[in-house]
Amino acid sequence: MPSSEAIIDEMRRGYRFFGGRDEGWIIGVYKALIIEGDCFGEHQTILHSHRGTGIGSMMYDQFKDLAKREGCRINSVNALLGQEATLRMIEKHGFHKAGDPFEQSPGMLVQRFEREVD
């Protein structure tokens, strides 16, 4: 879990954080970075107690809306291979594979997914 200082540093570097609350408590977060017409999302986190409630889908809608508002051409994400729930969410929101799987860091095999912004 990143420290508040690390999150502030990422915000200063252009990352945008969004998510959801339940009765005032943060129950999920997602971050996005816009680079040259690409709105790239990563690190979606949802409290275990709130999984399956639609919060993840809501955050993907926020992510897609951000890309549209900012005039981006594409949304993109990297997903760990084997994370079935994440892969289902990506497919549900219209993303498709882009390129071959790659090691994002040693032993971490990911696939890039993209979708054109509406």
Side-chain angles (χ1 to χ4, degrees), residues 68-85:
K68 188 173 186 174
R69 260 193 334 271
E70 294 296 322
C72 294
R73 293 175 289 105
I74 61 170
N75 280 118
S76 66
V77 298
N78 292 339
L80 286 169
L81 295 179
Q83 286 192 334
E84 295 302 321

Side-chain angles (χ1 to χ4, degrees), residues 94-107:
F95 289 80
H96 60 275
K97 288 182 181 180
D100 295 323
F102 62 96
E103 276 192 327
Q104 187 166 332
S105 51

Side-chain angles (χ1 to χ4, degrees), residues 1-13 17:
M1 180 177 206
S3 68
S4 58
E5 292 82 13
I7 292 170
I8 291 168
D9 181 58
E10 286 186 326
M11 291 172 83
R12 286 185 179 131
R13 290 185 289 131
F17 289 79

Side-chain angles (χ1 to χ4, degrees), residues 13-16 31-35 38-42 66:
R13 290 185 289 131
Y15 280 92
R16 303 194 193 184
K31 70 180 186 177
L33 181 63
I34 298 172
I35 301 173
D38 178 4
C39 185
F40 175 71
E42 62 180 345
L66 173 65

